[in-house]
Amino acid sequence: MNSDFLPAAEPVLRLIEQLHKLPGIGPKSAQRLTYYLVRMPSEEVRALAEAMLAVKERITFCSRCQNVTERDPCSLCTDPRRDATAICVVEEPLDVLAIERTHSYRGLYHVLHGVLSPMNNVGPQDLRIAQLLERLKGSQVAEVILATNPGLEGEATAMYLHRLIGGLTPRVTRLARGLPAGGDLEYADDVTLTHALQGRQPF
Ligand SMILES: [Zn+2]
């Protein structure tokens, strides 16, 4: 970004630069957000800054499902009402929220934190795949649901995982079609997602 030519004070330029690093925030949005923050009441800006720091200081990853949590293991993994024989593998923590919203799944989760993407230099070692294999070894898990997104990278990741875990678990399934092709789970409506879960197919 060419912020050198903006006639702005140093703290303003610094914030624009920091916001610009966030996903989906282009130079224009970074500038708009920065000037919005300049006009916001101090206490609101402070609350925002504190909330951002709190996610870094208080949030960690669950050693079992790899989801973000304040407590390790997380409340889902330690809930005795959950069905520990099923693991639903998703790309992001937001996907867990999307599936939980449907109230149609009672098993556990595993969050990969991304998908395989050769174009973006994301390989198996960058995802929480080793932790998934570790979880499955000698476990009572009877079904692994591969719930990566239906796009190219999500499909490739599901295929890769299927090859790896095929021998470790009796049943590997994939969410049914009906999810918008190329769409993300987190944006699917509850009904579509519920149907996709109920109609899951052996992989
Ligand atoms: Zn967990």
Short mmCIF file of all heavy atoms in Angstrom, two decimals, residues 62 65 74 77, ligand 1:
data_model
loop_
_atom_site.label_atom_id
_atom_site.label_comp_id
_atom_site.label_asym_id
_atom_site.label_seq_id
_atom_site.Cartn_x
_atom_site.Cartn_y
_atom_site.Cartn_z
N CYS A 62 -7.73 -26.47 21.85
CA CYS A 62 -8.05 -27.70 22.56
C CYS A 62 -7.07 -28.78 22.09
O CYS A 62 -6.90 -28.97 20.88
CB CYS A 62 -9.49 -28.12 22.27
SG CYS A 62 -9.90 -29.74 22.95
N CYS A 65 -9.57 -31.61 20.04
CA CYS A 65 -10.25 -31.30 18.77
C CYS A 65 -9.59 -30.14 18.03
O CYS A 65 -9.97 -29.84 16.90
CB CYS A 65 -11.72 -31.00 19.02
SG CYS A 65 -12.01 -29.44 19.88
N CYS A 74 -11.65 -28.71 25.67
CA CYS A 74 -12.75 -27.76 25.55
C CYS A 74 -14.06 -28.35 26.09
O CYS A 74 -14.16 -29.55 26.35
CB CYS A 74 -12.91 -27.34 24.10
SG CYS A 74 -13.64 -28.61 23.05
N CYS A 77 -15.49 -31.34 23.99
CA CYS A 77 -14.77 -32.61 24.14
C CYS A 77 -15.04 -33.27 25.48
O CYS A 77 -14.96 -34.49 25.61
CB CYS A 77 -13.27 -32.39 23.96
SG CYS A 77 -12.77 -32.16 22.25
ZN ZN B 1 -12.01 -29.97 22.13
#
